[in-house]
Amino acid sequence: MKLFLSFFSLLIFTMFQSQELKDFVIPKGYEKVLEVKGNLDKDGKEEIVIVYNTPDKIENQGYKRKFYILKNSEGNLKIWKENSAILNSSGAGFYPEDNKLEIQIKNNCLVISQSLYSNSRHTDTSKYTFRFQNGDFYLIGSFNKFEDTCEFSFTNDVNFSTGKAIVDETYSDCDGDENRKIPQDYHKEFIHKFDTLIKMNDFRVGENKFSIPNSKKYFTY
């Protein structure tokens, strides 16, 4: 009897949710960039994630991008989540043709990876992992590597679920720059307690930070 009631409650919740979600219609002028499928909420059904270039241009950065997480309800696509704050625009960086964008659904998590040249020598690579829990998507992992072709490489990596953070800074010589004083390498692993996790639609890249113990440095994500 309890099993029947549990199944019935789940069925009612699923029906109610599908009725509340809006139908997905491709907005006018949107150009599809990529599409992936996978299960994000452990209900045994695949969701569809589609990234689009929008018609909205940003000066010197190309077109803004937006992604949708869609549910399939009896053959009709419904908008479950949408976001335009996380993705780089289509022409961001110094060599926009070399930009890389990858989205995976792995272990029921949404993993967004991006890489671009911030100038002719600097590469900025990031990966953000979101998990659906407590009725919403939350940021549970952040990885960023900022590196020069020969001078330095900086890495910030944090797991918000465990609190483990890694900061790594390495420096080296560049040809023709022998007189430059090379800073000392820096590496630190520590646990930082997070009182709350950030919801996906509240996350803004680079606007969050916490202090690194026993230093004047900050971990930024």
Side-chain angles (χ1 to χ4, degrees):
M1 183 65 177
K2 288 183 178 180
L3 181 62
F4 173 77
L5 288 174
S6 177
F7 173 77
F8 183 73
S9 298
L10 177 62
L11 180 64
I12 292 296
F13 173 77
T14 303
M15 291 174 60
F16 177 76
Q17 185 186 54
S18 64
Q19 290 173 352
E20 290 294 304
L21 300 181
K22 295 181 180 179
D23 289 334
F24 173 68
V25 178
I26 300 175
K28 185 178 180 179
Y30 277 41
E31 178 185 4
K32 187 181 352 184
V33 177
L34 60 82
E35 175 180 330
V36 296
K37 296 180 181 179
N39 187 216
L40 288 164
D41 56 1
K42 299 182 180 181
D43 66 351
K45 299 178 182 179
E46 285 190 332
E47 278 73 48
I48 303 171
V49 181
I50 307 180
V51 178
Y52 289 96
N53 284 339
T54 76
D56 300 327
K57 292 196 72 173
I58 303 175
E59 188 175 358
N60 300 321
Q61 292 192 44
Y63 295 96
K64 290 181 66 176
R65 283 179 169 167
K66 187 173 186 176
F67 70 87
Y68 294 88
I69 304 177
L70 308 174
K71 282 187 167 291
N72 192 326
S73 176
E74 298 181 351
N76 297 315
L77 293 180
K78 302 278 187 176
I79 300 175
W80 188 24
K81 297 288 180 180
E82 56 186 283
N83 187 286
S84 59
I86 299 169
L87 301 179
N88 291 323
S89 59
S90 63
F94 197 77
Y95 303 118
E97 65 275 9
D98 292 331
N99 286 353
K100 294 181 181 178
L101 170 65
E102 182 180 13
I103 292 185
Q104 296 178 299
I105 295 176
K106 188 176 181 180
N107 299 325
N108 302 107
C109 292
L110 181 67
V111 184
I112 300 173
S113 303
Q114 299 176 97
S115 180
L116 60 85
Y117 284 91
S118 56
N119 66 28
S120 61
R121 287 179 43 170
H122 296 167
T123 308
D124 194 348
T125 301
S126 59
K127 181 172 72 173
Y128 302 104
T129 303
F130 299 91
R131 182 170 62 204
F132 184 74
Q133 58 189 47
N134 301 323
D136 212 331
F137 283 91
Y138 289 85
L139 181 67
I140 63 165
S142 171
F143 171 90
N144 178 260
K145 176 173 280 191
F146 180 57
E147 54 188 341
D148 184 88
T149 51
C150 67
E151 191 172 313
F152 61 79
S153 178
F154 302 151
T155 299
N156 283 358
D157 190 6
V158 61
N159 183 318
F160 294 93
S161 297
T162 63
K164 183 176 180 179
I166 300 172
V167 178
D168 188 83
E169 301 176 1
T170 59
Y171 301 87
S172 58
D173 263 333
C174 289
D175 291 340
D177 199 18
E178 291 79 6
N179 295 325
R180 182 179 68 92
K181 183 178 180 181
I182 302 175
Q184 191 172 24
D185 291 349
Y186 179 84
H187 182 89
K188 191 172 186 65
E189 299 184 21
F190 59 99
I191 300 297
H192 179 84
K193 183 180 178 181
F194 296 92
D195 295 326
T196 59
L197 297 178
I198 301 176
K199 291 183 179 181
M200 182 174 69
N201 282 358
D202 293 334
F203 178 57
R204 300 293 182 270
V205 176
E207 294 187 4
N208 310 277
K209 66 180 181 179
F210 55 89
S211 59
I212 299 173
N214 304 315
S215 78
K216 295 181 180 180
K217 298 176 180 287
Y218 285 91
F219 187 113
T220 304
Y221 59 98

